[in-house]
């Protein structure tokens, strides 16, 4: 995979910095290769393109001195010396589908990753502030790159899952729905036992960590662990709870026991 500079590069520095950004990107490709092959999903991921190159001319304690954003990743260095010497051990690094929040403030932008790394586009220099905030161009670029990689990665995951599902003894074959779950009311053949509640993992809308189908599969698996051979779930209902950057999928139902057939001779 080659490294190129985007035709629509957003930067506040001259071209002399680009060679260092390209060299660091190539080293990050070696150190952190992307797991899924996205070329078949979207041809724009055949190569890596530098989209943002931000130099903080007056950095504060919390903000990095230099931040680079590509169509694959975001990384930052706290000092220019580390950037030019490609000291990767001193850098923060995440892929663009690992963003948790992108905060748009009056004079700066702060990006938080799913592993709680921070990339803060903030400077005391007025020209830097203007670059960061003008017409939300930088914010929109970050959001667009995040959305594109999330979508491409999810398609790659589904494609790989579809391929795996046709293989014998695949992991998906081991997941069985051992219980019967019904939306409707309890039938006459059953009697009420108790209410059961379960929750799937939270879904992050930005990193798209998980999806609704996987959440429902998790709920069925959880019901499997509490429903016996002669039991069913009736009155099944679920809710999605908005929690800001994430939402949770919760489910509840009535666990019912199959009535025992009375012996007519007793």
């Amino acid at each position: 995979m080659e490294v190129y500079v985007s035709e629509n590069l957003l930067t506040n520095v001259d071209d002399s910095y680009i060679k260092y950004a390209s060299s660091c990107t190539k080293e990050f490709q070696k150190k952190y290769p992307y797991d899924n092959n996205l070329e078949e999903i979207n041809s724009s991921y055949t190569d890596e393109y530098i989209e943002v190159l931000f130099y903080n001319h007056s950095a504060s304690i919390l903000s990095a001195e230099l931040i680079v954003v590509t169509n694959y990743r975001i990384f930052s260095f706290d000092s220019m010396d580390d950037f030019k010497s490609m000291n990767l051990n001193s850098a923060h690094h995440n892929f663009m589908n690992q963003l948790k929040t992108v905060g748009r403030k009056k004079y700066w932008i702060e990006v938080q990753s799913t592993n709680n790394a921070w990339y803060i586009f903030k400077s005391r220099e007025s020209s830097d502030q203007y670059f960061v905030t003008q017409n939300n161009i930088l914010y929109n670029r970050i959001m667009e790159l995040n959305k594109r990689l999330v979508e491409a990665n999810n398609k790659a995951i589904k494609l790989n899952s579809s391929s795996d599902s046709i293989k014998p003894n695949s992991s998906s074959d081991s997941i069985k729905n051992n219980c019967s779950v019904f939306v409707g009311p309890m039938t006459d053949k059953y009697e009420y036992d108790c209410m059961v509640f379960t929750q799937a993992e939270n879904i992050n809308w930005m990193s798209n960590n998980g999806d609704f189908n996987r959440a429902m599969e998790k709920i069925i698996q959880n019901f499997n662990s509490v429903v016996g051979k002669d039991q069913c779930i009736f009155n099944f209902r679920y809710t999605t709870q908005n929690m800001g950057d994430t939402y949770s999928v919760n489910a509840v139902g009535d666990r019912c026991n199959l009535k025992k057939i009375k012996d007519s001779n007793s």
Side-chain angles (χ1 to χ4, degrees), residues 66-211:
L66 195 134
I67 304 176
V68 176
V69 183
T70 77
N71 56 330
Y72 272 97
R73 68 194 78 234
I74 180 172
F75 58 89
S76 68
F77 289 87
D78 292 334
S79 76
M80 183 60 65
D81 290 339
D82 288 334
F83 173 61
K84 290 183 176 181
S85 64
M86 293 187 293
N87 182 10
L88 303 190
N89 292 329
S90 68
H92 293 295
H93 173 279
N94 284 99
F95 291 110
M96 287 302 291
N97 62 323
Q98 295 176 326
L99 305 189
K100 184 177 181 181
T101 61
V102 180
R104 180 173 46 183
K105 309 299 182 180
K106 185 175 181 179
Y107 296 113
W108 71 91
I109 294 172
E110 53 187 30
V111 178
Q112 184 184 14
S113 70
T114 52
N115 64 343
N116 292 322
W118 288 90
Y119 304 90
I120 302 178
F121 296 79
K122 183 180 182 181
S123 174
R124 293 186 288 260
E125 182 72 30
S126 59
S127 60
D128 293 343
Q129 292 178 7
Y130 180 75
F131 169 79
V132 170
T133 60
Q134 65 168 321
N135 300 322
N136 294 321
I137 295 175
L138 177 58
Y139 173 84
N140 292 337
R141 179 69 62 86
I142 293 171
M143 295 296 290
E144 176 191 359
L145 293 170
N146 164 255
K147 180 181 178 181
R148 280 172 46 196
L149 188 57
V150 165
E151 290 177 349
N153 185 64
N154 283 346
K155 289 180 181 178
I157 291 174
K158 290 180 180 179
L159 182 63
N160 293 336
S161 298
S162 299
S163 300
D164 291 340
S165 65
I166 63 176
K167 298 177 182 178
N169 300 322
S170 66
S171 58
S172 61
D173 292 335
S174 63
I175 300 175
K176 301 295 183 181
N177 178 11
N178 294 323
C179 66
S180 296
V181 179
F182 301 96
V183 177
M186 180 183 67
T187 64
D188 293 337
K189 293 182 179 181
Y190 288 84
E191 55 187 4
Y192 177 81
D193 179 30
C194 65
M195 179 181 290
V196 291
F197 169 84
T198 185
Q199 182 180 45
E201 297 92 339
N202 290 346
I203 299 172
N204 188 298
W205 66 267
M206 180 165 290
S207 66
N208 211 5
N209 178 24
D211 56 41

